[in-house]
Amino acid sequence: QVQLVESGGGLVQAGGSLRLSCATSGRTFAGYTMVGWFRQAPEKEREFVAAISRHGATIFYADSVKGRFTVSIDNATNTVYLQMDSLKPEDTAVYYCAQSEHSIWSYNKPRAYDYWGQGTQVTVSS
């Protein structure tokens, strides 16, 4: 079994920054294809934010965060990061990381991910 734990969420003013971390433990980290970040605001569906392939060679971003968020991976520590800059109130949501063993071309589909973290709250005040 694989466990993912997010951290780094919190309350920040608009224009500020946060860095989320996703630490993975359990079954070998090497048996996956990509790690994704999703978010879910109250009464909204879970939406794709960013994804990174196993060795970091391929990265995807949602249009809403492109140019503001940066995803990276540290395979030495089994950790994926989401650097969030120029935050806006509409970025407020619970952020989840997830690991997939499927094709990276399904990067924006929650059903393509096999393991999920518990989520971390990000609140951006105006």
Side-chain angles (χ1 to χ4, degrees):
Q1 190 72 346
V2 175
Q3 293 83 41
L4 295 93
V5 179
E6 304 95 337
S7 60
L11 173 64
V12 64
Q13 288 188 331
S17 298
L18 284 173
R19 188 176 80 155
L20 305 184
S21 300
C22 174
T24 303
S25 62
R27 186 167 55 85
T28 175
F29 192 54
Y32 74 101
T33 56
M34 61 182 169
V35 174
W37 286 96
F38 289 78
R39 66 187 182 187
Q40 188 165 19
E43 300 183 356
K44 291 190 176 181
E45 292 190 355
R46 190 165 298 190
E47 66 171 353
F48 168 74
V49 175
I52 186 167
S53 62
R54 175 176 164 179
H55 295 297
T58 305
I59 291 174
F60 304 98
Y61 294 103
D63 288 343
S64 58
V65 306
K66 202 170 293 183
R68 300 188 297 122
F69 289 13
T70 303
V71 63
S72 60
I73 189 166
D74 183 345
N75 282 303
T77 61
N78 297 342
T79 304
V80 175
Y81 300 97
L82 184 68
Q83 177 67 40
M84 306 187 295
D85 299 318
S86 302
L87 283 162
K88 305 175 181 180
E90 51 263 43
D91 294 318
T92 296
V94 177
Y95 283 70
Y96 301 89
C97 66
Q99 189 180 116
S100 173
E101 297 177 351
H102 301 280
S103 169
I104 64 171
W105 303 111
S106 299
Y107 62 89
N108 61 343
K109 297 177 175 58
R111 65 175 182 269
Y113 292 80
D114 304 284
Y115 303 99
W116 291 80
Q118 82 291 346
T120 185
Q121 176 70 46
V122 171
T123 303
V124 184
S125 63
S126 57

